[in-house]
Amino acid sequence: MELLELNLQLFSIIGTIAFAVSGAVVAMEEDYDILGVFVLALVTAFGGGVVRNLLIGVPVTTLWEQGMYLKTALIAAGLVFIVPVSWIRRWKTWESLFDAIGLAAFSIQGALYAANMNHPISAIMVAAVMTGIGGGIIRDVLAGRKPLVLQDEIYAVWGMLAGLMIGLGWFQGPYHLITLFVLIVALRMLSVLFKWRLPRRSLRLPSTRVIGTENGAKSKIEAG
């Protein structure tokens, strides 16, 4: 049990910092005031965990027992708010990496919670993916954006993969979990680098544009 707690604490701290910073930066991009910065930072860091707790039967009130993580998220958001803008712009070049770190850390954390409660593998996968992407979805909705995790490069699938690996018992113990963490981060970054995407279909009608002809008449062509 002590080993499990250490694993949960490690991945919780990593994910909290990564997602709190992400939420704070998005708030500043949308010109939110300092309250908005802290709100989006906390929502991003803890929103997924709250959704996960609702799904696997953990009391939502346990959130208020995570004083250390709340303070960590607030400190991270506060630092983002006061550092020079040039630093934040430099951080933006590493945004995908921080996002991948948060995804991997929280997906593993969520899967460990569900596995420790002896839930079936399907519940473990759901707990993993909701912990990994839930906060980001809520953040984007509050920021007036389309949830990027559902339309960008492959993202949620890697959280599901982490849950599957833990649910099957293939990764147990601290060294195995660190290996899984590195694997999920690497897969996420590869999907960003090579723009891997899931199949998609659009129901939008083909757009049309007007072009001129030699005699001055105008005609429309469809953009395929």
Side-chain angles (χ1 to χ4, degrees), residues 88-138:
I88 298 176
R89 288 174 178 164
R90 192 175 303 136
W91 176 87
K92 286 287 290 180
T93 62
W94 298 91
E95 182 178 13
S96 295
L97 177 59
F98 273 78
D99 205 44
I101 291 172
L103 170 69
F106 272 166
S107 295
I108 293 173
Q109 180 222 53
L112 290 174
Y113 267 111
N116 187 49
M117 297 178 67
N118 297 317
H119 283 301
I121 190 170
S122 58
I124 294 174
M125 293 175 64
V126 170
V129 72
M130 290 310 303
T131 310
I133 75 172
I137 292 176
I138 299 173

Side-chain angles (χ1 to χ4, degrees), residues 79-92:
L79 289 175
V80 170
F81 188 79
I82 64 175
V83 298
V85 173
S86 60
W87 290 18
I88 298 176
R89 288 174 178 164
R90 192 175 303 136
W91 176 87
K92 286 287 290 180

Side-chain angles (χ1 to χ4, degrees), residues 22-194:
S22 173
V25 170
V26 168
M28 294 176 67
E29 289 177 341
E30 298 297 328
D31 295 327
Y32 285 15
D33 60 19
I34 188 171
L35 178 60
V37 170
F38 283 115
V39 168
L40 251 64
L42 291 175
V43 163
T44 309
F46 297 100
V50 170
V51 174
R52 176 206 64 217
N53 289 350
L54 287 171
L55 292 175
I56 66 175
V58 177
V60 178
T61 53
T62 56
L63 171 66
W64 309 119
E65 301 172 5
Q66 302 179 21
M68 179 182 68
Y69 304 120
L70 288 169
K71 292 176 183 177
T72 300
L74 290 172
I75 291 172
L79 289 175
V80 170
F81 188 79
I82 64 175
V83 298
V85 173
S86 60
W87 290 18
I88 298 176
R89 288 174 178 164
R90 192 175 303 136
W91 176 87
K92 286 287 290 180
T93 62
W94 298 91
E95 182 178 13
S96 295
L97 177 59
F98 273 78
D99 205 44
I101 291 172
L103 170 69
F106 272 166
S107 295
I108 293 173
Q109 180 222 53
L112 290 174
Y113 267 111
N116 187 49
M117 297 178 67
N118 297 317
H119 283 301
I121 190 170
S122 58
I124 294 174
M125 293 175 64
V126 170
V129 72
M130 290 310 303
T131 310
I133 75 172
I137 292 176
I138 299 173
R139 174 202 65 202
D140 289 341
V141 170
L142 291 179
R145 301 179 173 186
K146 292 182 179 180
L148 296 178
V149 300
L150 300 179
Q151 64 175 348
D152 205 354
E153 297 89 358
I154 298 176
Y155 190 93
V157 171
W158 305 131
M160 296 173 64
L161 179 63
L164 177 63
M165 297 296 99
I166 292 176
L168 292 174
W170 292 359
F171 288 86
Q172 297 178 350
Y175 296 110
H176 289 168
L177 291 175
I178 291 294
T179 301
L180 179 60
F181 171 77
V182 173
L183 176 63
I184 298 300
V185 171
L187 288 172
R188 168 57 186 160
M189 294 308 298
L190 286 173
S191 68
V192 172
L193 179 63
F194 295 106

